[in-house]
Amino acid sequence: LNTSRLWRDDQTKVFIKRDFIKMGADVLSIEQPTYSVHHQDPSEWLVNNMMELLDTFERMQIAIKLAKGRRTKVKAGLKACGTAPLGYKWKHEDVDKPVIVIDSETIGLVHLIYKKYLELKSIHKVKKYLDDNNHKTLQGKSFSPMAIRHILTNEFYKGVVKHGDLVKKG
């Protein structure tokens, strides 16, 4: 549609433009029909670069708005964004904005991981137990020691939500 969807930062833009020029390729943009990586005259160069600057400006504004929204959610004690931790899921229906809720299908596995760690006192022994009993991640893979450690140390399970330097009781 336009060049703002082609690259997300200046470094990527340089690499893409360089490769297009090497290959003799160009960008065809619906909203910017005169755009070209092959600058023929100074006016085209100026317009293209102004459009790229406006793309960067717009990306920065969007990032600021998104960060503000995430911080507002955390201040209210809600998870701001991202993947729901094992045992939770995002609820989208019947709410104004998506919220994290307990996932009755997977919360038992989280309880089991904590229980087994307290009993076995070893992440590797917990992993062996999970493997021996065919417990899998949401992606259908075996739990890695790091995944188990992450569950055991994730403060979200203690009711703490974080975003950047902001930490609140959830």
Side-chain angles (χ1 to χ4, degrees):
L1 190 60
N2 66 50
T3 58
S4 69
R5 306 303 298 164
L6 184 58
W7 40 71
R8 290 294 184 204
D9 59 58
D10 290 336
Q11 189 175 17
T12 305
K13 176 175 61 177
V14 169
F15 289 130
I16 291 173
K17 281 182 164 185
R18 183 197 65 201
D19 289 348
F20 277 24
I21 290 168
K22 274 187 200 175
M23 295 183 295
D26 209 343
V27 175
L28 296 176
S29 170
I30 294 169
E31 290 181 353
Q32 298 159 287
T34 61
Y35 186 88
S36 174
V37 295
H38 307 280
H39 304 294
Q40 300 276 322
D41 73 48
S43 295
E44 287 178 10
W45 176 87
L46 180 62
V47 170
N48 288 344
N49 279 287
M50 286 173 44
M51 294 302 292
E52 291 168 5
L53 282 172
L54 289 172
D55 291 343
T56 301
F57 176 74
E58 184 179 15
R59 270 193 311 278
M60 292 170 75
Q61 280 187 311
I62 290 168
I64 289 169
K65 287 178 185 176
L66 289 173
K68 184 179 178 186
R70 289 181 189 124
R71 289 184 72 79
T72 300
K73 275 185 148 183
V74 170
K75 285 178 182 177
L78 302 172
K79 184 162 174 44
C81 61
T83 304
L86 182 66
Y88 293 87
K89 63 183 176 181
W90 283 101
K91 179 180 178 180
H92 296 274
E93 57 281 339
D94 302 324
V95 292
D96 291 335
K97 293 183 180 179
V99 293
I100 292 275
V101 295
I102 291 174
D103 181 1
S104 59
E105 293 180 23
T106 60
I107 194 65
L109 183 54
V110 175
H111 290 162
L112 178 66
I113 290 170
Y114 274 91
K115 178 183 171 190
K116 284 297 174 185
Y117 182 74
L118 289 172
E119 177 186 318
L120 301 171
K121 305 206 184 326
S122 163
I123 289 174
H124 289 284
K125 288 179 182 177
V126 172
K127 176 182 174 23
K128 181 173 178 359
Y129 174 86
L130 294 173
D131 289 344
D132 290 348
N133 290 278
N134 204 29
H135 292 289
K136 303 288 183 192
T137 67
L138 293 177
Q139 293 75 32
K141 299 178 181 177
S142 294
F143 281 90
S144 69
M146 284 304 296
I148 296 167
R149 174 182 290 282
H150 180 70
I151 290 168
L152 295 171
T153 60
N154 187 344
E155 293 191 48
F156 187 82
Y157 293 112
K158 295 191 304 185
V160 176
V161 288
K162 294 180 177 184
H163 181 69
D165 61 343
L166 190 58
V167 179
K168 289 286 181 180
K169 183 87 174 124

PDB file of all heavy atoms in Angstrom, residues 3-32:
ATOM      1  N   THR A   3       5.113   2.767   1.483  1.00  0.00           N
ATOM      2  CA  THR A   3       6.443   2.350   1.936  1.00  0.00           C
ATOM      3  C   THR A   3       6.548   2.177   3.443  1.00  0.00           C
ATOM      4  O   THR A   3       7.449   1.488   3.911  1.00  0.00           O
ATOM      5  CB  THR A   3       7.513   3.352   1.469  1.00  0.00           C
ATOM      6  OG1 THR A   3       7.182   4.651   1.970  1.00  0.00           O
ATOM      7  CG2 THR A   3       7.607   3.380  -0.041  1.00  0.00           C
ATOM      8  N   SER A   4       5.621   2.744   4.200  1.00  0.00           N
ATOM      9  CA  SER A   4       5.692   2.594   5.654  1.00  0.00           C
ATOM     10  C   SER A   4       5.547   1.124   6.058  1.00  0.00           C
ATOM     11  O   SER A   4       5.973   0.739   7.141  1.00  0.00           O
ATOM     12  CB  SER A   4       4.619   3.436   6.339  1.00  0.00           C
ATOM     13  OG  SER A   4       3.331   2.906   6.083  1.00  0.00           O
ATOM     14  N   ARG A   5       4.943   0.291   5.229  1.00  0.00           N
ATOM     15  CA  ARG A   5       4.778  -1.124   5.525  1.00  0.00           C
ATOM     16  C   ARG A   5       5.978  -1.953   5.073  1.00  0.00           C
ATOM     17  O   ARG A   5       6.067  -3.130   5.350  1.00  0.00           O
ATOM     18  CB  ARG A   5       3.515  -1.674   4.843  1.00  0.00           C
ATOM     19  CG  ARG A   5       2.256  -0.912   5.159  1.00  0.00           C
ATOM     20  CD  ARG A   5       1.951  -0.824   6.635  1.00  0.00           C
ATOM     21  NE  ARG A   5       1.735  -2.155   7.185  1.00  0.00           N
ATOM     22  CZ  ARG A   5       1.739  -2.450   8.462  1.00  0.00           C
ATOM     23  NH1 ARG A   5       1.952  -1.504   9.354  1.00  0.00           N
ATOM     24  NH2 ARG A   5       1.542  -3.667   8.874  1.00  0.00           N
ATOM     25  N   LEU A   6       6.888  -1.333   4.335  1.00  0.00           N
ATOM     26  CA  LEU A   6       8.025  -2.068   3.777  1.00  0.00           C
ATOM     27  C   LEU A   6       9.180  -2.190   4.757  1.00  0.00           C
ATOM     28  O   LEU A   6       9.829  -3.215   4.833  1.00  0.00           O
ATOM     29  CB  LEU A   6       8.499  -1.384   2.489  1.00  0.00           C
ATOM     30  CG  LEU A   6       9.606  -2.057   1.709  1.00  0.00           C
ATOM     31  CD1 LEU A   6       9.223  -3.473   1.313  1.00  0.00           C
ATOM     32  CD2 LEU A   6       9.931  -1.248   0.463  1.00  0.00           C
ATOM     33  N   TRP A   7       9.434  -1.159   5.536  1.00  0.00           N
ATOM     34  CA  TRP A   7      10.523  -1.206   6.505  1.00  0.00           C
ATOM     35  C   TRP A   7      10.091  -0.560   7.811  1.00  0.00           C
ATOM     36  O   TRP A   7       9.253   0.310   7.843  1.00  0.00           O
ATOM     37  CB  TRP A   7      11.771  -0.510   5.978  1.00  0.00           C
ATOM     38  CG  TRP A   7      11.507   0.755   5.235  1.00  0.00           C
ATOM     39  CD1 TRP A   7      11.084   1.939   5.728  1.00  0.00           C
ATOM     40  CD2 TRP A   7      11.646   0.944   3.830  1.00  0.00           C
ATOM     41  NE1 TRP A   7      10.944   2.870   4.742  1.00  0.00           N
ATOM     42  CE2 TRP A   7      11.292   2.287   3.560  1.00  0.00           C
ATOM     43  CE3 TRP A   7      12.045   0.137   2.772  1.00  0.00           C
ATOM     44  CZ2 TRP A   7      11.320   2.816   2.279  1.00  0.00           C
ATOM     45  CZ3 TRP A   7      12.072   0.672   1.505  1.00  0.00           C
ATOM     46  CH2 TRP A   7      11.711   1.995   1.272  1.00  0.00           C
ATOM     47  N   ARG A   8      10.679  -1.043   8.891  1.00  0.00           N
ATOM     48  CA  ARG A   8      10.287  -0.573  10.215  1.00  0.00           C
ATOM     49  C   ARG A   8      11.336   0.305  10.877  1.00  0.00           C
ATOM     50  O   ARG A   8      11.092   0.876  11.930  1.00  0.00           O
ATOM     51  CB  ARG A   8      10.001  -1.768  11.131  1.00  0.00           C
ATOM     52  CG  ARG A   8       8.740  -2.487  10.741  1.00  0.00           C
ATOM     53  CD  ARG A   8       7.592  -1.564  10.992  1.00  0.00           C
ATOM     54  NE  ARG A   8       6.317  -2.189  10.746  1.00  0.00           N
ATOM     55  CZ  ARG A   8       5.234  -1.509  10.457  1.00  0.00           C
ATOM     56  NH1 ARG A   8       5.267  -0.216  10.366  1.00  0.00           N
ATOM     57  NH2 ARG A   8       4.102  -2.126  10.246  1.00  0.00           N
ATOM     58  N   ASP A   9      12.518   0.371  10.299  1.00  0.00           N
ATOM     59  CA  ASP A   9      13.547   1.243  10.869  1.00  0.00           C
ATOM     60  C   ASP A   9      14.511   1.649   9.755  1.00  0.00           C
ATOM     61  O   ASP A   9      14.505   1.090   8.659  1.00  0.00           O
ATOM     62  CB  ASP A   9      14.288   0.565  12.025  1.00  0.00           C
ATOM     63  CG  ASP A   9      14.962  -0.734  11.611  1.00  0.00           C
ATOM     64  OD1 ASP A   9      15.797  -0.707  10.688  1.00  0.00           O
ATOM     65  OD2 ASP A   9      14.669  -1.770  12.217  1.00  0.00           O
ATOM     66  N   ASP A  10      15.332   2.656  10.046  1.00  0.00           N
ATOM     67  CA  ASP A  10      16.233   3.203   9.034  1.00  0.00           C
ATOM     68  C   ASP A  10      17.264   2.198   8.548  1.00  0.00           C
ATOM     69  O   ASP A  10      17.615   2.168   7.377  1.00  0.00           O
ATOM     70  CB  ASP A  10      16.940   4.458   9.575  1.00  0.00           C
ATOM     71  CG  ASP A  10      15.977   5.622   9.719  1.00  0.00           C
ATOM     72  OD1 ASP A  10      14.943   5.629   9.025  1.00  0.00           O
ATOM     73  OD2 ASP A  10      16.264   6.523  10.526  1.00  0.00           O
ATOM     74  N   GLN A  11      17.758   1.352   9.454  1.00  0.00           N
ATOM     75  CA  GLN A  11      18.761   0.370   9.064  1.00  0.00           C
ATOM     76  C   GLN A  11      18.183  -0.640   8.062  1.00  0.00           C
ATOM     77  O   GLN A  11      18.809  -0.948   7.049  1.00  0.00           O
ATOM     78  CB  GLN A  11      19.295  -0.353  10.296  1.00  0.00           C
ATOM     79  CG  GLN A  11      20.478  -1.239  10.010  1.00  0.00           C
ATOM     80  CD  GLN A  11      21.057  -1.843  11.279  1.00  0.00           C
ATOM     81  OE1 GLN A  11      20.405  -1.858  12.320  1.00  0.00           O
ATOM     82  NE2 GLN A  11      22.258  -2.356  11.199  1.00  0.00           N
ATOM     83  N   THR A  12      16.984  -1.120   8.340  1.00  0.00           N
ATOM     84  CA  THR A  12      16.330  -2.054   7.424  1.00  0.00           C
ATOM     85  C   THR A  12      16.084  -1.388   6.082  1.00  0.00           C
ATOM     86  O   THR A  12      16.277  -1.996   5.026  1.00  0.00           O
ATOM     87  CB  THR A  12      14.996  -2.555   8.023  1.00  0.00           C
ATOM     88  OG1 THR A  12      15.254  -3.110   9.309  1.00  0.00           O
ATOM     89  CG2 THR A  12      14.333  -3.571   7.131  1.00  0.00           C
ATOM     90  N   LYS A  13      15.662  -0.122   6.103  1.00  0.00           N
ATOM     91  CA  LYS A  13      15.407   0.621   4.874  1.00  0.00           C
ATOM     92  C   LYS A  13      16.670   0.675   4.011  1.00  0.00           C
ATOM     93  O   LYS A  13      16.613   0.433   2.802  1.00  0.00           O
ATOM     94  CB  LYS A  13      14.933   2.037   5.214  1.00  0.00           C
ATOM     95  CG  LYS A  13      14.732   2.922   3.994  1.00  0.00           C
ATOM     96  CD  LYS A  13      14.158   4.270   4.370  1.00  0.00           C
ATOM     97  CE  LYS A  13      15.066   5.018   5.296  1.00  0.00           C
ATOM     98  NZ  LYS A  13      14.605   6.352   5.635  1.00  0.00           N
ATOM     99  N   VAL A  14      17.801   0.930   4.621  1.00  0.00           N
ATOM    100  CA  VAL A  14      19.070   1.006   3.880  1.00  0.00           C
ATOM    101  C   VAL A  14      19.380  -0.336   3.219  1.00  0.00           C
ATOM    102  O   VAL A  14      19.739  -0.389   2.039  1.00  0.00           O
ATOM    103  CB  VAL A  14      20.230   1.449   4.815  1.00  0.00           C
ATOM    104  CG1 VAL A  14      21.573   1.268   4.146  1.00  0.00           C
ATOM    105  CG2 VAL A  14      20.022   2.894   5.249  1.00  0.00           C
ATOM    106  N   PHE A  15      19.222  -1.439   3.973  1.00  0.00           N
ATOM    107  CA  PHE A  15      19.507  -2.762   3.417  1.00  0.00           C
ATOM    108  C   PHE A  15      18.566  -3.107   2.269  1.00  0.00           C
ATOM    109  O   PHE A  15      18.990  -3.621   1.235  1.00  0.00           O
ATOM    110  CB  PHE A  15      19.421  -3.845   4.502  1.00  0.00           C
ATOM    111  CG  PHE A  15      20.550  -3.803   5.484  1.00  0.00           C
ATOM    112  CD1 PHE A  15      20.288  -3.811   6.843  1.00  0.00           C
ATOM    113  CD2 PHE A  15      21.871  -3.753   5.064  1.00  0.00           C
ATOM    114  CE1 PHE A  15      21.325  -3.775   7.766  1.00  0.00           C
ATOM    115  CE2 PHE A  15      22.915  -3.717   5.983  1.00  0.00           C
ATOM    116  CZ  PHE A  15      22.637  -3.724   7.336  1.00  0.00           C
ATOM    117  N   ILE A  16      17.273  -2.843   2.440  1.00  0.00           N
ATOM    118  CA  ILE A  16      16.295  -3.164   1.393  1.00  0.00           C
ATOM    119  C   ILE A  16      16.572  -2.345   0.143  1.00  0.00           C
ATOM    120  O   ILE A  16      16.604  -2.877  -0.968  1.00  0.00           O
ATOM    121  CB  ILE A  16      14.854  -2.942   1.898  1.00  0.00           C
ATOM    122  CG1 ILE A  16      14.505  -3.985   2.960  1.00  0.00           C
ATOM    123  CG2 ILE A  16      13.857  -3.011   0.741  1.00  0.00           C
ATOM    124  CD1 ILE A  16      13.168  -3.751   3.648  1.00  0.00           C
ATOM    125  N   LYS A  17      16.784  -1.043   0.320  1.00  0.00           N
ATOM    126  CA  LYS A  17      17.068  -0.193  -0.841  1.00  0.00           C
ATOM    127  C   LYS A  17      18.323  -0.656  -1.564  1.00  0.00           C
ATOM    128  O   LYS A  17      18.356  -0.735  -2.800  1.00  0.00           O
ATOM    129  CB  LYS A  17      17.234   1.270  -0.403  1.00  0.00           C
ATOM    130  CG  LYS A  17      15.952   1.992  -0.148  1.00  0.00           C
ATOM    131  CD  LYS A  17      16.271   3.434   0.214  1.00  0.00           C
ATOM    132  CE  LYS A  17      15.095   4.320   0.124  1.00  0.00           C
ATOM    133  NZ  LYS A  17      15.441   5.728   0.355  1.00  0.00           N
ATOM    134  N   ARG A  18      19.373  -0.975  -0.802  1.00  0.00           N
ATOM    135  CA  ARG A  18      20.627  -1.430  -1.405  1.00  0.00           C
ATOM    136  C   ARG A  18      20.411  -2.696  -2.236  1.00  0.00           C
ATOM    137  O   ARG A  18      20.869  -2.791  -3.373  1.00  0.00           O
ATOM    138  CB  ARG A  18      21.666  -1.692  -0.322  1.00  0.00           C
ATOM    139  CG  ARG A  18      23.039  -2.099  -0.876  1.00  0.00           C
ATOM    140  CD  ARG A  18      23.920  -2.724   0.155  1.00  0.00           C
ATOM    141  NE  ARG A  18      23.287  -3.983   0.571  1.00  0.00           N
ATOM    142  CZ  ARG A  18      23.545  -4.610   1.703  1.00  0.00           C
ATOM    143  NH1 ARG A  18      24.398  -4.111   2.551  1.00  0.00           N
ATOM    144  NH2 ARG A  18      22.945  -5.740   2.005  1.00  0.00           N
ATOM    145  N   ASP A  19      19.671  -3.652  -1.666  1.00  0.00           N
ATOM    146  CA  ASP A  19      19.412  -4.902  -2.381  1.00  0.00           C
ATOM    147  C   ASP A  19      18.548  -4.673  -3.619  1.00  0.00           C
ATOM    148  O   ASP A  19      18.792  -5.276  -4.665  1.00  0.00           O
ATOM    149  CB  ASP A  19      18.767  -5.927  -1.458  1.00  0.00           C
ATOM    150  CG  ASP A  19      19.735  -6.474  -0.416  1.00  0.00           C
ATOM    151  OD1 ASP A  19      20.959  -6.234  -0.547  1.00  0.00           O
ATOM    152  OD2 ASP A  19      19.266  -7.141   0.531  1.00  0.00           O
ATOM    153  N   PHE A  20      17.537  -3.815  -3.523  1.00  0.00           N
ATOM    154  CA  PHE A  20      16.697  -3.518  -4.684  1.00  0.00           C
ATOM    155  C   PHE A  20      17.531  -2.890  -5.800  1.00  0.00           C
ATOM    156  O   PHE A  20      17.368  -3.236  -6.973  1.00  0.00           O
ATOM    157  CB  PHE A  20      15.553  -2.580  -4.302  1.00  0.00           C
ATOM    158  CG  PHE A  20      14.358  -3.261  -3.702  1.00  0.00           C
ATOM    159  CD1 PHE A  20      14.461  -4.492  -3.070  1.00  0.00           C
ATOM    160  CD2 PHE A  20      13.112  -2.665  -3.765  1.00  0.00           C
ATOM    161  CE1 PHE A  20      13.362  -5.124  -2.521  1.00  0.00           C
ATOM    162  CE2 PHE A  20      11.993  -3.286  -3.214  1.00  0.00           C
ATOM    163  CZ  PHE A  20      12.118  -4.509  -2.598  1.00  0.00           C
ATOM    164  N   ILE A  21      18.398  -1.968  -5.435  1.00  0.00           N
ATOM    165  CA  ILE A  21      19.240  -1.304  -6.444  1.00  0.00           C
ATOM    166  C   ILE A  21      20.167  -2.320  -7.106  1.00  0.00           C
ATOM    167  O   ILE A  21      20.308  -2.347  -8.328  1.00  0.00           O
ATOM    168  CB  ILE A  21      20.023  -0.126  -5.814  1.00  0.00           C
ATOM    169  CG1 ILE A  21      19.041   1.009  -5.471  1.00  0.00           C
ATOM    170  CG2 ILE A  21      21.130   0.363  -6.740  1.00  0.00           C
ATOM    171  CD1 ILE A  21      19.624   2.106  -4.586  1.00  0.00           C
ATOM    172  N   LYS A  22      20.777  -3.207  -6.297  1.00  0.00           N
ATOM    173  CA  LYS A  22      21.656  -4.253  -6.842  1.00  0.00           C
ATOM    174  C   LYS A  22      20.925  -5.137  -7.850  1.00  0.00           C
ATOM    175  O   LYS A  22      21.479  -5.536  -8.861  1.00  0.00           O
ATOM    176  CB  LYS A  22      22.178  -5.160  -5.716  1.00  0.00           C
ATOM    177  CG  LYS A  22      23.411  -4.694  -5.029  1.00  0.00           C
ATOM    178  CD  LYS A  22      23.856  -5.809  -4.079  1.00  0.00           C
ATOM    179  CE  LYS A  22      24.762  -5.311  -3.000  1.00  0.00           C
ATOM    180  NZ  LYS A  22      25.084  -6.358  -2.023  1.00  0.00           N
ATOM    181  N   MET A  23      19.660  -5.476  -7.528  1.00  0.00           N
ATOM    182  CA  MET A  23      18.884  -6.387  -8.376  1.00  0.00           C
ATOM    183  C   MET A  23      18.185  -5.662  -9.526  1.00  0.00           C
ATOM    184  O   MET A  23      17.571  -6.300 -10.376  1.00  0.00           O
ATOM    185  CB  MET A  23      17.825  -7.117  -7.541  1.00  0.00           C
ATOM    186  CG  MET A  23      18.407  -8.032  -6.496  1.00  0.00           C
ATOM    187  SD  MET A  23      17.143  -8.972  -5.572  1.00  0.00           S
ATOM    188  CE  MET A  23      16.262  -7.676  -4.717  1.00  0.00           C
ATOM    189  N   GLY A  24      18.254  -4.339  -9.533  1.00  0.00           N
ATOM    190  CA  GLY A  24      17.542  -3.581 -10.557  1.00  0.00           C
ATOM    191  C   GLY A  24      16.040  -3.574 -10.321  1.00  0.00           C
ATOM    192  O   GLY A  24      15.257  -3.335 -11.238  1.00  0.00           O
ATOM    193  N   ALA A  25      15.629  -3.864  -9.087  1.00  0.00           N
ATOM    194  CA  ALA A  25      14.207  -3.907  -8.726  1.00  0.00           C
ATOM    195  C   ALA A  25      13.778  -2.540  -8.191  1.00  0.00           C
ATOM    196  O   ALA A  25      14.612  -1.672  -7.931  1.00  0.00           O
ATOM    197  CB  ALA A  25      13.977  -4.977  -7.665  1.00  0.00           C
ATOM    198  N   ASP A  26      12.478  -2.362  -8.044  1.00  0.00           N
ATOM    199  CA  ASP A  26      11.962  -1.105  -7.505  1.00  0.00           C
ATOM    200  C   ASP A  26      10.715  -1.390  -6.675  1.00  0.00           C
ATOM    201  O   ASP A  26      10.203  -2.504  -6.656  1.00  0.00           O
ATOM    202  CB  ASP A  26      11.634  -0.121  -8.632  1.00  0.00           C
ATOM    203  CG  ASP A  26      11.782   1.328  -8.195  1.00  0.00           C
ATOM    204  OD1 ASP A  26      11.824   1.602  -6.969  1.00  0.00           O
ATOM    205  OD2 ASP A  26      11.850   2.205  -9.076  1.00  0.00           O
ATOM    206  N   VAL A  27      10.236  -0.377  -6.002  1.00  0.00           N
ATOM    207  CA  VAL A  27       9.044  -0.469  -5.162  1.00  0.00           C
ATOM    208  C   VAL A  27       7.861   0.070  -5.961  1.00  0.00           C
ATOM    209  O   VAL A  27       7.952   1.131  -6.565  1.00  0.00           O
ATOM    210  CB  VAL A  27       9.222   0.374  -3.877  1.00  0.00           C
ATOM    211  CG1 VAL A  27       7.957   0.399  -3.057  1.00  0.00           C
ATOM    212  CG2 VAL A  27      10.393  -0.131  -3.071  1.00  0.00           C
ATOM    213  N   LEU A  28       6.763  -0.673  -5.946  1.00  0.00           N
ATOM    214  CA  LEU A  28       5.519  -0.185  -6.528  1.00  0.00           C
ATOM    215  C   LEU A  28       4.562   0.069  -5.370  1.00  0.00           C
ATOM    216  O   LEU A  28       4.177  -0.858  -4.666  1.00  0.00           O
ATOM    217  CB  LEU A  28       4.917  -1.217  -7.487  1.00  0.00           C
ATOM    218  CG  LEU A  28       5.744  -1.547  -8.721  1.00  0.00           C
ATOM    219  CD1 LEU A  28       5.076  -2.649  -9.525  1.00  0.00           C
ATOM    220  CD2 LEU A  28       5.947  -0.313  -9.571  1.00  0.00           C
ATOM    221  N   SER A  29       4.209   1.326  -5.177  1.00  0.00           N
ATOM    222  CA  SER A  29       3.363   1.709  -4.051  1.00  0.00           C
ATOM    223  C   SER A  29       2.060   2.305  -4.558  1.00  0.00           C
ATOM    224  O   SER A  29       2.066   3.207  -5.399  1.00  0.00           O
ATOM    225  CB  SER A  29       4.108   2.726  -3.187  1.00  0.00           C
ATOM    226  OG  SER A  29       3.238   3.282  -2.228  1.00  0.00           O
ATOM    227  N   ILE A  30       0.944   1.811  -4.040  1.00  0.00           N
ATOM    228  CA  ILE A  30      -0.369   2.302  -4.466  1.00  0.00           C
ATOM    229  C   ILE A  30      -0.566   3.755  -4.041  1.00  0.00           C
ATOM    230  O   ILE A  30      -0.997   4.586  -4.828  1.00  0.00           O
ATOM    231  CB  ILE A  30      -1.493   1.410  -3.881  1.00  0.00           C
ATOM    232  CG1 ILE A  30      -1.387   0.014  -4.499  1.00  0.00           C
ATOM    233  CG2 ILE A  30      -2.870   2.023  -4.120  1.00  0.00           C
ATOM    234  CD1 ILE A  30      -2.253  -1.028  -3.823  1.00  0.00           C
ATOM    235  N   GLU A  31      -0.224   4.066  -2.778  1.00  0.00           N
ATOM    236  CA  GLU A  31      -0.439   5.429  -2.278  1.00  0.00           C
ATOM    237  C   GLU A  31       0.683   6.390  -2.669  1.00  0.00           C
ATOM    238  O   GLU A  31       0.514   7.598  -2.557  1.00  0.00           O
ATOM    239  CB  GLU A  31      -0.587   5.404  -0.756  1.00  0.00           C
ATOM    240  CG  GLU A  31      -1.881   4.755  -0.301  1.00  0.00           C
ATOM    241  CD  GLU A  31      -2.041   4.762   1.205  1.00  0.00           C
ATOM    242  OE1 GLU A  31      -1.089   5.150   1.918  1.00  0.00           O
ATOM    243  OE2 GLU A  31      -3.116   4.362   1.679  1.00  0.00           O
ATOM    244  N   GLN A  32       1.812   5.848  -3.088  1.00  0.00           N
ATOM    245  CA  GLN A  32       2.946   6.693  -3.482  1.00  0.00           C
ATOM    246  C   GLN A  32       3.419   6.253  -4.878  1.00  0.00           C
ATOM    247  O   GLN A  32       4.501   5.704  -5.024  1.00  0.00           O
ATOM    248  CB  GLN A  32       4.082   6.550  -2.472  1.00  0.00           C
ATOM    249  CG  GLN A  32       3.698   6.995  -1.072  1.00  0.00           C
ATOM    250  CD  GLN A  32       4.616   6.390  -0.027  1.00  0.00           C
ATOM    251  OE1 GLN A  32       4.531   5.203   0.264  1.00  0.00           O
ATOM    252  NE2 GLN A  32       5.493   7.204   0.538  1.00  0.00           N
TER     253      GLN A  32
END
